[in-house]
Amino acid sequence: MATAKKLTENHLTCVICTEVFTDPATLHCHHTFCKSCLLKYTYTQPEAVQAKSIPCPSCRQQTNVTNPDSPVEEWVSQLKPSHVMQGLMDDFGPGTKAVEEHVCGVCTKQGKTTPATSWCSVCDVVYCEGCLQLHNMMPGLCDHEVAHLSDHTKTKVKRRFMCQVHRDKPIELFCKDCKQAICTICCSIKHRACKDVDTIESMTPLVKEQLTKKIEKLGINIAAANNIITQRKSTIQDVKSNSQTLKDQVMKARETVMRAILRKEKQLLGDIDKATDEQLSELQADIKSQEIELQMYQQQYEFTANAVTSNCEMDMYAVYDSVGEKSPDNRDTDNRPAARSVVFTHDLDKLSKAVDELQLGEVQVVHDVSDPVSFPVLHHTIDCKEDGDGKDPLVRDVTVLTVDGIKVVVVADYNNNRLKTYYTSNFKSFHNQLLLSSDPWQIAKLCESQIAVSVPDSKEIVIVNVTPGPVLLSTIKTSKDYYALACLSPSQLAAGTDGQSHFVDILDMTGRRLRSINTGVIRSPDFIHVTRKNNLIVSEGDVKSLVCVTSEGDAVFTYTPTGDRALTWPLGITTTSTGDILLVDYHSHKVIQLTELG
């Protein structure tokens, strides 16, 4: 019996009500709960209900329902216990016969194997008929509640609530002053000065109600804590990835500076080589000239010496006549111009100062846009006025892509019928543009290197590759002049048109309308944004509301502030990494931040 009880407490008890399972249901994560407890918990999780799923109170994993259009009660009722759990309930649950196989706990100590017939809920021991009689004859044990193991009723035997001080006395009172459950003896001795004492029967419903509220609150806190932990773990990965990206940028900046230093080094080495080559050429030419003169002097020397040593007057006078009174040119080599020297001059102090003042960049810690204590920080400003623009630019929409590690800003210039891209590479700024058939309206990001752009006046949606310059990939002809545009999935677009009353069309990638979604108070959406939960947020300038609906058209929220917070002209929409919504209110010059649920 003790083994069966331990199995029941550890594996057949609902963690919500702490009772043995009643009509158990097992979720996809293999956690099991009473269906009634699971239903009550599901009602406390509106986000899960909106997502058409049942959350697990233990691990937070979502279980998708088979029939999302049915009521929540049917979601839970359709769940079944796992085969293992059902087998345990059949063998060891309330009303089973498995306990009959146990033997008397007292007889076991005497080496006997007498079959047990009863179980004392206070002693937590099974007895045979003989030992049970002895048990019931003892004054301190006779009032214990005993259950017969042969009784197969569904009634659960509860252990008596006994006083921890006076162990043979049941708990019958509750001292509100001390907030302690007590027996009558404790009340008359330790709590006789207390003024507010009530019966345990009167207090139990109130205690259970408070504990139930506490459980609900703890469930909400657990869900919030799990969400925060999940977000923090995701943020850790983002921080590590961002750290590596920043390190790569620093090393890239260092490489750029090193290339510039190497270029200067190469230039100086080239100047040295050039000056040295010029010097060597001059010296080689001078040596050649000296060798020619040396040869001429040697010839004259031999001719003259032969004439002198021959003692022939005719030869001597012949040489003497050719030389005349001229004597050999005694060249003074010391008076020749000295060769020029190549020197390298530099100011070490100036060079050291330049190195110290060299800035590869600056590391800053900035708050995320979803952080309530964050404030705007201007990084840089892009002038969208380009050569060839016939009018001043009107930026209708903007998005940022990351193409091969390069941040690319894509701008839809409504007035000049152009799609423009801006990016920086190797500390140099670049810009490109793509001329469209008419004025672009909204940009929908398909992936990191591909976008879709609505061109309503031409009844087109153009698909553009960003490489990082814009390259037209294809043109989708539409039956309507779609303005607002967003990517719902890799194969579907959400588009809104002027004059279509309170609807957004879902299109395939050929422009064919698949279905329409009601947008509530928004008549003709100016902008559409798809959230991480695949919900659609729509805005319209002259409607002072923001509407969020599911991809199936179910309403999520309508945000219509009043008074000083009333919207003036809501336009662009985006969301942060945490799901918060950012809405541009044009006339008030504000960006309004909302939670994911508005």
Side-chain angles (χ1 to χ4, degrees):
M1 183 63 198
T3 303
K5 181 176 182 295
K6 188 175 296 184
L7 181 62
T8 300
E9 290 179 347
N10 294 341
H11 300 286
L12 301 182
T13 301
C14 176
V15 297
I16 299 178
C17 66
T18 67
E19 303 285 348
V20 176
F21 288 129
T22 301
D23 196 10
T26 302
L27 300 176
H28 289 174
C29 56
H30 304 297
H31 289 135
T32 304
F33 310 89
C34 300
K35 286 185 178 179
S36 59
C37 297
L38 188 60
L39 179 61
K40 292 177 182 178
Y41 177 78
T42 303
Y43 278 131
T44 67
Q45 305 294 314
E47 294 183 2
V49 175
Q50 292 176 3
K52 308 295 183 182
S53 61
I54 300 174
C56 175
S58 296
C59 68
R60 321 308 305 164
Q61 184 174 335
Q62 302 289 333
T63 296
N64 295 327
V65 298
T66 55
N67 189 4
D69 295 330
S70 60
V72 179
E73 294 83 356
E74 293 186 18
W75 297 358
V76 177
S77 65
Q78 292 173 357
L79 296 173
K80 304 295 181 184
S82 66
H83 295 296
V84 174
M85 187 60 63
Q86 187 62 59
L88 292 174
M89 290 293 294
D90 293 339
D91 293 338
F92 300 100
T96 63
K97 297 181 180 180
V99 293
E100 292 181 358
E101 300 175 1
H102 293 276
V103 296
C104 175
V106 178
C107 293
T108 301
K109 296 180 179 179
Q110 300 175 358
K112 301 177 183 179
T113 57
T114 309
T117 59
S118 302
W119 169 59
C120 175
S121 63
V122 180
C123 302
D124 194 17
V125 178
V126 290
Y127 298 100
C128 63
E129 289 293 343
C131 293
L132 179 63
Q133 292 179 4
L134 294 175
H135 173 277
N136 293 337
M137 291 171 62
M138 295 182 181
L141 308 178
C142 60
D143 59 346
H144 289 187
E145 290 191 14
V146 177
H148 292 282
L149 298 181
S150 58
D151 185 4
H152 302 318
T153 63
K154 296 291 184 179
T155 304
K156 180 182 177 180
V157 179
K158 297 183 180 180
R159 297 187 61 176
R160 295 189 64 186
F161 194 9
M162 307 299 291
C163 180
Q164 296 295 319
V165 179
H166 311 95
R167 294 185 176 274
D168 58 339
K169 295 295 181 179
I171 296 294
E172 298 177 351
L173 304 171
F174 183 85
C175 178
K176 294 183 179 180
D177 294 343
C178 303
K179 295 183 179 180
Q180 185 177 359
I182 57 177
C183 69
T184 54
I185 297 178
C186 291
C187 182
S188 60
I189 298 176
K190 295 184 178 181
H191 298 268
R192 60 178 181 271
C194 296
K195 298 180 180 180
D196 197 355
V197 177
D198 203 348
T199 63
I200 202 72
E201 289 81 5
S202 300
M203 285 299 301
T204 298
L206 298 176
V207 171
K208 189 171 184 178
E209 181 182 356
Q210 292 182 10
L211 293 178
T212 301
K213 293 180 180 179
K214 181 68 174 179
I215 290 173
E216 293 176 355
K217 185 176 180 180
L218 288 174
I220 296 173
N221 292 342
I222 290 171
N226 281 326
N227 289 335
I228 292 174
I229 290 172
T230 301
Q231 292 175 4
R232 293 296 182 268
K233 288 181 178 179
S234 176
T235 302
I236 287 174
Q237 297 301 320
D238 293 340
V239 168
K240 290 180 178 179
S241 176
N242 181 63
S243 174
Q244 187 58 50
T245 300
L246 295 179
K247 289 178 181 178
D248 292 341
Q249 292 176 357
V250 170
M251 289 187 287
K252 195 170 184 179
R254 184 256 299 165
E255 291 173 357
T256 301
V257 173
M258 289 301 298
R259 283 195 296 269
I261 294 175
L262 291 174
R263 282 197 302 269
K264 291 184 176 295
E265 178 191 43
K266 184 177 180 180
Q267 179 181 352
L268 290 172
L269 294 177
D271 293 343
I272 293 173
D273 289 340
K274 181 179 179 181
T276 301
D277 289 341
E278 291 177 354
Q279 280 189 293
L280 293 176
S281 296
E282 292 178 358
L283 291 172
Q284 293 293 341
D286 190 46
I287 290 173
K288 189 67 175 177
S289 175
Q290 293 298 322
E291 289 177 344
I292 294 173
E293 289 186 11
L294 175 61
Q295 186 178 5
M296 180 184 67
Y297 294 150
Q298 288 176 341
Q299 290 177 353
Q300 291 180 0
Y301 176 84
E302 292 177 359
F303 187 60
T304 305
N306 289 333
V308 172
T309 55
S310 66
N311 292 322
C312 178
E313 295 177 351
M314 184 177 66
D315 292 337
M316 287 190 294
Y317 278 98
V319 173
Y320 182 77
D321 289 340
S322 63
V323 176
E325 296 182 352
K326 294 180 181 180
S327 61
D329 186 9
N330 295 325
R331 293 175 175 264
D332 186 0
T333 56
D334 293 336
N335 292 330
R336 286 180 173 273
R340 292 173 296 171
S341 298
V342 178
V343 296
F344 173 55
T345 59
H346 59 284
D347 189 335
L348 287 177
D349 292 336
K350 184 177 180 180
L351 180 61
S352 178
K353 183 179 179 181
V355 172
D356 290 339
E357 294 177 351
L358 177 64
Q359 291 290 334
L360 295 181
E362 185 178 358
V363 177
Q364 293 179 324
V365 178
V366 296
H367 292 279
D368 187 82
V369 68
S370 59
D371 191 335
V373 301
S374 65
F375 54 90
V377 177
L378 179 63
H379 287 277
H380 62 277
T381 302
I382 298 175
D383 184 1
C384 296
K385 178 70 174 178
E386 304 292 345
D387 295 339
D389 288 350
K391 304 177 181 177
D392 289 335
L394 175 58
V395 178
R396 178 59 64 181
D397 197 12
V398 60
T399 192
V400 179
L401 307 177
T402 303
V403 182
D404 296 330
I406 300 174
K407 295 288 186 182
V408 183
V409 179
V410 185
V411 174
D413 185 351
Y414 183 84
N415 280 352
N416 293 289
N417 303 344
R418 298 175 189 271
L419 194 68
K420 301 176 179 178
T421 60
Y422 300 88
Y423 60 96
T424 300
S425 179
N426 293 327
F427 300 96
K428 294 183 179 180
S429 298
F430 299 89
H431 60 87
N432 303 93
Q433 52 187 325
L434 175 66
L435 181 63
L436 303 176
S437 60
S438 185
D439 37 13
W441 191 272
Q442 188 170 5
I443 302 170
K445 180 179 175 180
L446 304 181
C447 63
E448 281 300 337
S449 60
Q450 194 173 101
I451 57 175
V453 184
S454 59
V455 188
D457 287 351
S458 301
K459 292 186 177 182
E460 294 177 348
I461 297 174
V462 296
I463 308 299
V464 177
N465 274 346
V466 179
T467 63
V471 178
L472 181 63
L473 182 63
S474 62
T475 301
I476 302 172
K477 292 293 184 178
T478 60
S479 59
K480 302 176 183 178
D481 49 349
Y482 289 112
Y483 288 80
L485 186 67
C487 177
L488 186 61
S489 71
S491 60
Q492 294 182 356
L493 298 172
T497 183
D498 187 21
Q500 180 172 338
S501 181
H502 308 280
F503 281 98
V504 164
D505 288 342
I506 304 301
L507 313 176
D508 63 16
M509 298 308 289
T510 65
R512 182 171 61 93
R513 186 177 67 86
L514 302 177
R515 63 184 185 278
S516 295
I517 295 176
N518 186 282
T519 55
V521 298
I522 303 297
R523 296 185 298 271
S524 302
D526 288 324
F527 286 91
I528 304 175
H529 180 76
V530 178
T531 70
R532 60 181 180 177
K533 293 185 177 180
N534 229 34
N535 293 333
L536 275 67
I537 308 176
V538 292
S539 67
E540 184 179 1
D542 55 358
V543 177
K544 317 308 181 187
S545 298
L546 186 70
V547 173
C548 180
V549 296
T550 67
S551 58
E552 299 300 325
D554 298 328
V556 178
F557 70 80
T558 298
Y559 175 72
T560 311
T562 58
D564 295 339
R565 301 174 61 188
L567 301 176
T568 61
W569 195 265
L571 290 178
I573 316 162
T574 189
T575 50
T576 68
S577 59
T578 59
D580 287 352
I581 301 167
L582 300 178
L583 169 66
V584 174
D585 194 28
Y586 182 72
H587 289 324
S588 67
H589 306 287
K590 294 180 180 178
V591 175
I592 300 171
Q593 183 173 344
L594 307 175
T595 66
E596 198 167 8
L597 294 177

